[in-house]
Every structure is written in structure tokens, then in C-alpha cells.
Amino acid sequence: MDTTHLQAADRFVVSQKTTVMTNQYVVSSARSDGSAGEVVAFAQQELMALKEQVIIYTDESRDRVLCTIEADQAMDMGAVYAVRDENGEPIGSFREKIMTSLLRSTWVLEQPGLAELTGRERNAALAVLRRVWDFLPATEFVPFAWPRHFDFAEGDTRWMAVERKFGLRDCYLVDIAGSGLDRRLAIAQAVALDALQ
């Protein structure tokens, strides 16, 4: 799918693939029922890299880069993740708000020419419950049953929602309401919500 058609799409499905040494995600256009349609991107993250980096290709052949995500520092805490196109030109960036995320995961998404978008977990009570779950003994191999959903908004105006579907594999439905939001940046942020958390 070329960039023009990609920009016209409003819904995507992001599904994690099971691999050993990398995190891989298949991004598809979403059908009306929320199931995966045509593949529009394929993301890969090396797990042992010094600085976080995710390469997003146009498909699973990995012949052409759609965009990249790269941290500005080796430490994840406080890192700003730059999203660049295939030529290395900036598309936008995002970062996690560390202090706010202690209770409820919160991200800031920035694209030149648009207002800053704040993305936070939709359900504050579930966010706190998930953090308590992480501290309970013997739960490291038992996944938290309730999925996380994120809303990215400018004030009261929602631009994007990322909703995790129920299932054993990580799978997300991405709904974009703002036509001016670069779909490559939206896809990169959706992948990062799983890969970088």
C-alpha cells in the first residue's frame, strides 16, 4: 500500500508475531468487523540493542522501509523516540511521561504542524490494578486478564484510540479520527505501546 492510500485509512490491526530474538508485528488495514485485512506494514525490534530501535517496513518481505523509531538515549526512562521516514526525514516523535505513568501509562505524541496529543490508559482503576498485579508474588508468568486501551487526545478531542483485543497474542485495533495525523506515526506509536512498555 503506498503512502497516499495508507494516509486515507482510518483503522488498523497490529498483531504481534511469536519469535525468539526479535519483537515482530504485522500491521493490517482493518475490515469493518475489526478483523485484519491487507498487510500495510511489518515492524521488527531487536531485543538486545544498546538503544531502542524499531524498523517498520512496508510488508513482511522487508524490502522497503516505511519508517523507523529510534530512542535518543540508551536508557528507556525519559527517552524521546524519533520517528523518521525511509529517507531519514522526521515525521514526529513520542515519549512516555514517567511520573504520570507510575499510576496510569501516559504518552505524548508530537507531529510538526499539529497540537501535542496526550495518550493515556482509558481506565484509571484498571491501570492501578495492573500495577498491583505486577507486584504480587508468582504472577510474572500469568498475564493480566483485562486488556489496556489508550486514547490519544488534544484536550477533549480524541484523535486516536488503541484497543487491545482479548487473546493469547498481543493484538490491537487502532482507530484514527484525525485526518491530519500521519498514519506512519500512528502505526509507530501503536507498535511502541506494546514493544516499548
Side-chain angles (χ1 to χ4, degrees):
M1 180 179 286
D2 64 34
T3 308
T4 304
H5 286 98
L6 185 69
Q7 190 62 27
D10 292 331
R11 299 177 86 211
F12 300 97
V13 175
V14 178
S15 304
Q16 185 176 29
K17 291 183 74 170
T18 305
T19 58
V20 178
M21 294 304 293
T22 61
N23 275 336
Q24 295 182 343
Y25 300 86
V26 176
V27 183
S28 309
S29 59
R31 296 188 178 107
S32 58
D33 64 355
S35 63
E38 177 188 1
V39 173
V40 298
F42 176 78
Q44 181 167 300
Q45 174 196 30
E46 301 297 331
L47 295 179
M48 304 306 276
L50 185 60
K51 285 200 306 188
E52 293 286 4
Q53 182 179 26
V54 179
I55 302 172
I56 303 177
Y57 300 92
T58 55
D59 58 36
E60 289 186 76
S61 70
R62 294 178 246 172
D63 290 335
R64 187 172 152 236
V65 172
L66 180 67
C67 62
T68 60
I69 306 168
E70 188 169 356
D72 67 342
Q73 60 189 35
M75 297 289 292
D76 284 348
M77 189 173 288
V80 175
Y81 298 92
V83 180
R84 300 181 186 281
D85 68 14
E86 67 274 18
N87 299 314
E89 295 298 318
I91 298 171
S93 65
F94 51 81
R95 60 185 163 79
E96 188 172 14
K97 293 180 81 170
I98 301 303
M99 295 308 290
T100 308
S101 291
L102 291 175
L103 291 178
R104 186 177 181 186
S105 293
T106 304
W107 291 77
V108 175
L109 180 65
E110 296 179 282
Q111 177 182 314
L114 289 184
E116 183 178 278
L117 303 182
T118 301
R120 66 176 50 94
E121 285 183 85
R122 185 176 298 161
N123 190 317
L126 275 181
V128 172
L129 183 60
R130 189 169 53 82
R131 281 151 181 76
V132 171
W133 178 268
D134 288 343
F135 284 105
L136 294 175
T139 59
E140 62 266 13
F141 299 110
V142 181
F144 188 69
W146 293 274
R148 295 184 310 167
H149 304 312
F150 283 83
D151 291 312
F152 286 80
E154 174 196 351
D156 293 332
T157 305
R158 188 173 81 175
W159 281 67
M160 178 173 74
V162 181
E163 300 181 348
R164 186 176 189 274
K165 296 180 172 187
F166 282 103
L168 294 176
R169 287 188 325 162
D170 291 337
C171 185
Y172 302 85
L173 180 63
V174 181
D175 255 310
I176 302 170
S179 62
L181 182 61
D182 192 304
R183 296 331 192 229
R184 298 168 296 179
L185 182 59
I187 289 169
Q189 176 70 81
V191 168
L193 289 175
D194 190 84
L196 303 178
Q197 291 238 116

